[in-house]
Amino acid sequence: MAVTDEAIEKIKELIVSGALRPGDRLPRESELAAGLGLSRNSLREAVRALSLIRVLDVRQGDGTYVTSLAPQLLLEALGFVVDLHRDDTVLEFLAVRRILEPAATATAAGRIEQAQLDALTARLDALGPDPSVEELVACDLEFHRTIVRSAGNSVLCSLLDGLSGPATRARVWRGLARQDAVARTLREHRAILAALRDRDAEAARSWATVHIAGVEWWLREAP
């Protein structure tokens, strides 16, 4: 194991064991390095790496702290990785989304507030039948994010945000040359909303599945 990897593992052990908790300040560099049996250089590299993935927060002139470790914070790195993926793997990310998002949509059927449903309906009405790619991406992102957040599971919400953020959605929609793709997507959004208004979890799950599977099919058929 490389010395930096060893240092990362030792800091991780401190956090997992509870010796360091969210919001705690790390001991001084010399003290922590001696306590963990590490060189100060390897400790610095480990701290730098853990700060990049939002486990640690380095505050100049103040010290280094454990972050809140909230799922949405730690999973931000997932979105960065997904944005770097090749076009030929976009279907794999959609397949994962097809597993997770229908379950979240079904859960949201019993939780989403009427005001949220009204706001999403108004957003679709304002979008019109022939939106630009940018308008469609913004609406699609808001639509699904609002529903998934209503499911009340922050980990699931963060995972889905990472799997299909703005950059990924834009790449998907720019790859869909078929004009009927937009019209069908907007119809499916309204069908999902209707199921949510009826508090019909299974209908919401089914429409969400159809919706994501349709995007997968279009991309497979694209030249």
Side-chain angles (χ1 to χ4, degrees), residues 172-194:
V172 168
W173 285 111
R174 288 194 179 98
L176 294 178
R178 295 174 45 152
Q179 194 59 37
D180 64 328
V182 173
R184 181 173 170 179
T185 292
L186 297 178
R187 287 197 302 271
E188 289 168 355
H189 278 185
R190 292 189 184 277
I192 292 170
L193 282 178

PDB file of all heavy atoms in Angstrom, residues 172-194:
ATOM      1  N   VAL A 172     -27.707  13.625 -23.327  1.00  0.00           N
ATOM      2  CA  VAL A 172     -28.780  12.716 -23.747  1.00  0.00           C
ATOM      3  C   VAL A 172     -29.693  13.403 -24.749  1.00  0.00           C
ATOM      4  O   VAL A 172     -29.979  12.891 -25.835  1.00  0.00           O
ATOM      5  CB  VAL A 172     -29.589  12.226 -22.531  1.00  0.00           C
ATOM      6  CG1 VAL A 172     -30.876  11.537 -22.995  1.00  0.00           C
ATOM      7  CG2 VAL A 172     -28.758  11.249 -21.692  1.00  0.00           C
ATOM      8  N   TRP A 173     -30.157  14.610 -24.406  1.00  0.00           N
ATOM      9  CA  TRP A 173     -31.140  15.264 -25.266  1.00  0.00           C
ATOM     10  C   TRP A 173     -30.538  15.733 -26.572  1.00  0.00           C
ATOM     11  O   TRP A 173     -31.231  15.748 -27.601  1.00  0.00           O
ATOM     12  CB  TRP A 173     -31.812  16.408 -24.513  1.00  0.00           C
ATOM     13  CG  TRP A 173     -32.799  15.870 -23.530  1.00  0.00           C
ATOM     14  CD1 TRP A 173     -32.707  15.891 -22.168  1.00  0.00           C
ATOM     15  CD2 TRP A 173     -34.000  15.153 -23.832  1.00  0.00           C
ATOM     16  NE1 TRP A 173     -33.787  15.228 -21.613  1.00  0.00           N
ATOM     17  CE2 TRP A 173     -34.580  14.771 -22.606  1.00  0.00           C
ATOM     18  CE3 TRP A 173     -34.616  14.797 -25.020  1.00  0.00           C
ATOM     19  CZ2 TRP A 173     -35.778  14.051 -22.532  1.00  0.00           C
ATOM     20  CZ3 TRP A 173     -35.804  14.083 -24.961  1.00  0.00           C
ATOM     21  CH2 TRP A 173     -36.380  13.716 -23.734  1.00  0.00           C
ATOM     22  N   ARG A 174     -29.292  16.099 -26.580  1.00  0.00           N
ATOM     23  CA  ARG A 174     -28.678  16.476 -27.854  1.00  0.00           C
ATOM     24  C   ARG A 174     -28.513  15.256 -28.762  1.00  0.00           C
ATOM     25  O   ARG A 174     -28.407  15.388 -29.980  1.00  0.00           O
ATOM     26  CB  ARG A 174     -27.329  17.151 -27.607  1.00  0.00           C
ATOM     27  CG  ARG A 174     -27.476  18.546 -27.021  1.00  0.00           C
ATOM     28  CD  ARG A 174     -26.183  19.347 -27.081  1.00  0.00           C
ATOM     29  NE  ARG A 174     -26.398  20.671 -26.533  1.00  0.00           N
ATOM     30  CZ  ARG A 174     -26.087  21.037 -25.290  1.00  0.00           C
ATOM     31  NH1 ARG A 174     -25.532  20.164 -24.467  1.00  0.00           N
ATOM     32  NH2 ARG A 174     -26.318  22.265 -24.871  1.00  0.00           N
ATOM     33  N   GLY A 175     -28.487  14.063 -28.148  1.00  0.00           N
ATOM     34  CA  GLY A 175     -28.377  12.837 -28.937  1.00  0.00           C
ATOM     35  C   GLY A 175     -29.706  12.336 -29.462  1.00  0.00           C
ATOM     36  O   GLY A 175     -29.752  11.396 -30.256  1.00  0.00           O
ATOM     37  N   LEU A 176     -30.809  12.942 -29.044  1.00  0.00           N
ATOM     38  CA  LEU A 176     -32.133  12.503 -29.482  1.00  0.00           C
ATOM     39  C   LEU A 176     -32.614  13.401 -30.616  1.00  0.00           C
ATOM     40  O   LEU A 176     -33.208  14.448 -30.396  1.00  0.00           O
ATOM     41  CB  LEU A 176     -33.129  12.539 -28.309  1.00  0.00           C
ATOM     42  CG  LEU A 176     -32.840  11.557 -27.176  1.00  0.00           C
ATOM     43  CD1 LEU A 176     -33.854  11.723 -26.060  1.00  0.00           C
ATOM     44  CD2 LEU A 176     -32.846  10.125 -27.678  1.00  0.00           C
ATOM     45  N   ALA A 177     -32.355  12.979 -31.830  1.00  0.00           N
ATOM     46  CA  ALA A 177     -32.716  13.798 -32.983  1.00  0.00           C
ATOM     47  C   ALA A 177     -34.203  13.675 -33.313  1.00  0.00           C
ATOM     48  O   ALA A 177     -34.767  14.517 -33.993  1.00  0.00           O
ATOM     49  CB  ALA A 177     -31.874  13.381 -34.188  1.00  0.00           C
ATOM     50  N   ARG A 178     -34.860  12.629 -32.835  1.00  0.00           N
ATOM     51  CA  ARG A 178     -36.262  12.402 -33.180  1.00  0.00           C
ATOM     52  C   ARG A 178     -37.145  13.466 -32.551  1.00  0.00           C
ATOM     53  O   ARG A 178     -37.115  13.691 -31.352  1.00  0.00           O
ATOM     54  CB  ARG A 178     -36.692  11.023 -32.687  1.00  0.00           C
ATOM     55  CG  ARG A 178     -35.972   9.894 -33.366  1.00  0.00           C
ATOM     56  CD  ARG A 178     -36.334   8.568 -32.743  1.00  0.00           C
ATOM     57  NE  ARG A 178     -37.772   8.465 -32.523  1.00  0.00           N
ATOM     58  CZ  ARG A 178     -38.428   7.303 -32.510  1.00  0.00           C
ATOM     59  NH1 ARG A 178     -37.775   6.190 -32.728  1.00  0.00           N
ATOM     60  NH2 ARG A 178     -39.720   7.275 -32.283  1.00  0.00           N
ATOM     61  N   GLN A 179     -37.970  14.121 -33.354  1.00  0.00           N
ATOM     62  CA  GLN A 179     -38.807  15.203 -32.862  1.00  0.00           C
ATOM     63  C   GLN A 179     -39.859  14.698 -31.891  1.00  0.00           C
ATOM     64  O   GLN A 179     -40.244  15.390 -30.959  1.00  0.00           O
ATOM     65  CB  GLN A 179     -39.485  15.912 -34.047  1.00  0.00           C
ATOM     66  CG  GLN A 179     -40.101  17.258 -33.696  1.00  0.00           C
ATOM     67  CD  GLN A 179     -39.079  18.248 -33.154  1.00  0.00           C
ATOM     68  OE1 GLN A 179     -37.947  18.282 -33.609  1.00  0.00           O
ATOM     69  NE2 GLN A 179     -39.471  19.038 -32.176  1.00  0.00           N
ATOM     70  N   ASP A 180     -40.345  13.464 -32.106  1.00  0.00           N
ATOM     71  CA  ASP A 180     -41.400  12.959 -31.224  1.00  0.00           C
ATOM     72  C   ASP A 180     -40.890  12.630 -29.835  1.00  0.00           C
ATOM     73  O   ASP A 180     -41.674  12.416 -28.911  1.00  0.00           O
ATOM     74  CB  ASP A 180     -42.068  11.722 -31.838  1.00  0.00           C
ATOM     75  CG  ASP A 180     -41.103  10.547 -31.973  1.00  0.00           C
ATOM     76  OD1 ASP A 180     -39.901  10.783 -32.182  1.00  0.00           O
ATOM     77  OD2 ASP A 180     -41.569   9.398 -31.871  1.00  0.00           O
ATOM     78  N   ALA A 181     -39.564  12.600 -29.662  1.00  0.00           N
ATOM     79  CA  ALA A 181     -39.009  12.295 -28.339  1.00  0.00           C
ATOM     80  C   ALA A 181     -39.405  13.355 -27.327  1.00  0.00           C
ATOM     81  O   ALA A 181     -39.751  13.044 -26.184  1.00  0.00           O
ATOM     82  CB  ALA A 181     -37.493  12.182 -28.416  1.00  0.00           C
ATOM     83  N   VAL A 182     -39.365  14.629 -27.740  1.00  0.00           N
ATOM     84  CA  VAL A 182     -39.706  15.714 -26.820  1.00  0.00           C
ATOM     85  C   VAL A 182     -41.183  15.657 -26.452  1.00  0.00           C
ATOM     86  O   VAL A 182     -41.556  15.708 -25.270  1.00  0.00           O
ATOM     87  CB  VAL A 182     -39.359  17.084 -27.436  1.00  0.00           C
ATOM     88  CG1 VAL A 182     -39.879  18.214 -26.550  1.00  0.00           C
ATOM     89  CG2 VAL A 182     -37.860  17.206 -27.626  1.00  0.00           C
ATOM     90  N   ALA A 183     -42.059  15.533 -27.464  1.00  0.00           N
ATOM     91  CA  ALA A 183     -43.505  15.499 -27.213  1.00  0.00           C
ATOM     92  C   ALA A 183     -43.874  14.315 -26.322  1.00  0.00           C
ATOM     93  O   ALA A 183     -44.685  14.449 -25.399  1.00  0.00           O
ATOM     94  CB  ALA A 183     -44.268  15.431 -28.531  1.00  0.00           C
ATOM     95  N   ARG A 184     -43.275  13.172 -26.605  1.00  0.00           N
ATOM     96  CA  ARG A 184     -43.593  11.991 -25.799  1.00  0.00           C
ATOM     97  C   ARG A 184     -43.109  12.156 -24.357  1.00  0.00           C
ATOM     98  O   ARG A 184     -43.793  11.768 -23.412  1.00  0.00           O
ATOM     99  CB  ARG A 184     -42.971  10.749 -26.432  1.00  0.00           C
ATOM    100  CG  ARG A 184     -43.290   9.487 -25.656  1.00  0.00           C
ATOM    101  CD  ARG A 184     -42.824   8.247 -26.378  1.00  0.00           C
ATOM    102  NE  ARG A 184     -42.930   7.090 -25.512  1.00  0.00           N
ATOM    103  CZ  ARG A 184     -42.609   5.857 -25.882  1.00  0.00           C
ATOM    104  NH1 ARG A 184     -42.171   5.631 -27.115  1.00  0.00           N
ATOM    105  NH2 ARG A 184     -42.720   4.861 -25.047  1.00  0.00           N
ATOM    106  N   THR A 185     -41.931  12.750 -24.202  1.00  0.00           N
ATOM    107  CA  THR A 185     -41.399  12.977 -22.859  1.00  0.00           C
ATOM    108  C   THR A 185     -42.321  13.873 -22.048  1.00  0.00           C
ATOM    109  O   THR A 185     -42.599  13.601 -20.871  1.00  0.00           O
ATOM    110  CB  THR A 185     -39.996  13.613 -22.952  1.00  0.00           C
ATOM    111  OG1 THR A 185     -39.097  12.651 -23.489  1.00  0.00           O
ATOM    112  CG2 THR A 185     -39.496  14.044 -21.584  1.00  0.00           C
ATOM    113  N   LEU A 186     -42.810  14.940 -22.671  1.00  0.00           N
ATOM    114  CA  LEU A 186     -43.699  15.853 -21.950  1.00  0.00           C
ATOM    115  C   LEU A 186     -45.017  15.172 -21.593  1.00  0.00           C
ATOM    116  O   LEU A 186     -45.577  15.404 -20.510  1.00  0.00           O
ATOM    117  CB  LEU A 186     -43.938  17.114 -22.786  1.00  0.00           C
ATOM    118  CG  LEU A 186     -42.676  17.944 -23.062  1.00  0.00           C
ATOM    119  CD1 LEU A 186     -43.000  19.152 -23.938  1.00  0.00           C
ATOM    120  CD2 LEU A 186     -42.012  18.382 -21.771  1.00  0.00           C
ATOM    121  N   ARG A 187     -45.510  14.306 -22.484  1.00  0.00           N
ATOM    122  CA  ARG A 187     -46.733  13.547 -22.157  1.00  0.00           C
ATOM    123  C   ARG A 187     -46.488  12.614 -20.981  1.00  0.00           C
ATOM    124  O   ARG A 187     -47.347  12.464 -20.105  1.00  0.00           O
ATOM    125  CB  ARG A 187     -47.191  12.738 -23.376  1.00  0.00           C
ATOM    126  CG  ARG A 187     -47.813  13.556 -24.495  1.00  0.00           C
ATOM    127  CD  ARG A 187     -48.590  12.675 -25.459  1.00  0.00           C
ATOM    128  NE  ARG A 187     -47.775  11.636 -26.061  1.00  0.00           N
ATOM    129  CZ  ARG A 187     -47.089  11.774 -27.184  1.00  0.00           C
ATOM    130  NH1 ARG A 187     -47.108  12.945 -27.832  1.00  0.00           N
ATOM    131  NH2 ARG A 187     -46.384  10.769 -27.674  1.00  0.00           N
ATOM    132  N   GLU A 188     -45.322  11.989 -20.969  1.00  0.00           N
ATOM    133  CA  GLU A 188     -45.013  11.061 -19.876  1.00  0.00           C
ATOM    134  C   GLU A 188     -44.832  11.813 -18.559  1.00  0.00           C
ATOM    135  O   GLU A 188     -45.219  11.302 -17.495  1.00  0.00           O
ATOM    136  CB  GLU A 188     -43.768  10.248 -20.228  1.00  0.00           C
ATOM    137  CG  GLU A 188     -44.035   9.235 -21.327  1.00  0.00           C
ATOM    138  CD  GLU A 188     -42.778   8.613 -21.895  1.00  0.00           C
ATOM    139  OE1 GLU A 188     -41.660   9.032 -21.498  1.00  0.00           O
ATOM    140  OE2 GLU A 188     -42.900   7.720 -22.749  1.00  0.00           O
ATOM    141  N   HIS A 189     -44.266  13.001 -18.604  1.00  0.00           N
ATOM    142  CA  HIS A 189     -44.174  13.821 -17.395  1.00  0.00           C
ATOM    143  C   HIS A 189     -45.569  14.084 -16.832  1.00  0.00           C
ATOM    144  O   HIS A 189     -45.799  13.987 -15.620  1.00  0.00           O
ATOM    145  CB  HIS A 189     -43.493  15.153 -17.718  1.00  0.00           C
ATOM    146  CG  HIS A 189     -41.998  15.069 -17.732  1.00  0.00           C
ATOM    147  ND1 HIS A 189     -41.194  16.173 -17.892  1.00  0.00           N
ATOM    148  CD2 HIS A 189     -41.147  14.019 -17.597  1.00  0.00           C
ATOM    149  CE1 HIS A 189     -39.918  15.809 -17.847  1.00  0.00           C
ATOM    150  NE2 HIS A 189     -39.872  14.507 -17.681  1.00  0.00           N
ATOM    151  N   ARG A 190     -46.513  14.411 -17.704  1.00  0.00           N
ATOM    152  CA  ARG A 190     -47.878  14.685 -17.243  1.00  0.00           C
ATOM    153  C   ARG A 190     -48.548  13.420 -16.703  1.00  0.00           C
ATOM    154  O   ARG A 190     -49.328  13.478 -15.754  1.00  0.00           O
ATOM    155  CB  ARG A 190     -48.698  15.305 -18.365  1.00  0.00           C
ATOM    156  CG  ARG A 190     -48.226  16.713 -18.738  1.00  0.00           C
ATOM    157  CD  ARG A 190     -49.175  17.404 -19.706  1.00  0.00           C
ATOM    158  NE  ARG A 190     -48.646  18.701 -20.116  1.00  0.00           N
ATOM    159  CZ  ARG A 190     -48.774  19.825 -19.412  1.00  0.00           C
ATOM    160  NH1 ARG A 190     -49.422  19.795 -18.248  1.00  0.00           N
ATOM    161  NH2 ARG A 190     -48.280  20.966 -19.842  1.00  0.00           N
ATOM    162  N   ALA A 191     -48.243  12.278 -17.297  1.00  0.00           N
ATOM    163  CA  ALA A 191     -48.795  11.022 -16.793  1.00  0.00           C
ATOM    164  C   ALA A 191     -48.251  10.703 -15.401  1.00  0.00           C
ATOM    165  O   ALA A 191     -48.986  10.229 -14.523  1.00  0.00           O
ATOM    166  CB  ALA A 191     -48.468   9.884 -17.768  1.00  0.00           C
ATOM    167  N   ILE A 192     -46.971  10.962 -15.194  1.00  0.00           N
ATOM    168  CA  ILE A 192     -46.380  10.766 -13.860  1.00  0.00           C
ATOM    169  C   ILE A 192     -47.057  11.685 -12.855  1.00  0.00           C
ATOM    170  O   ILE A 192     -47.413  11.268 -11.741  1.00  0.00           O
ATOM    171  CB  ILE A 192     -44.856  11.020 -13.904  1.00  0.00           C
ATOM    172  CG1 ILE A 192     -44.151   9.934 -14.717  1.00  0.00           C
ATOM    173  CG2 ILE A 192     -44.276  11.064 -12.481  1.00  0.00           C
ATOM    174  CD1 ILE A 192     -42.689  10.234 -15.024  1.00  0.00           C
ATOM    175  N   LEU A 193     -47.244  12.947 -13.233  1.00  0.00           N
ATOM    176  CA  LEU A 193     -47.913  13.896 -12.337  1.00  0.00           C
ATOM    177  C   LEU A 193     -49.337  13.451 -12.009  1.00  0.00           C
ATOM    178  O   LEU A 193     -49.789  13.565 -10.864  1.00  0.00           O
ATOM    179  CB  LEU A 193     -47.942  15.293 -12.966  1.00  0.00           C
ATOM    180  CG  LEU A 193     -46.648  16.103 -12.896  1.00  0.00           C
ATOM    181  CD1 LEU A 193     -46.831  17.440 -13.612  1.00  0.00           C
ATOM    182  CD2 LEU A 193     -46.224  16.339 -11.455  1.00  0.00           C
ATOM    183  N   ALA A 194     -50.057  12.942 -13.007  1.00  0.00           N
ATOM    184  CA  ALA A 194     -51.432  12.483 -12.774  1.00  0.00           C
ATOM    185  C   ALA A 194     -51.459  11.330 -11.773  1.00  0.00           C
ATOM    186  O   ALA A 194     -52.316  11.274 -10.875  1.00  0.00           O
ATOM    187  CB  ALA A 194     -52.068  12.056 -14.095  1.00  0.00           C
TER     188      ALA A 194
END
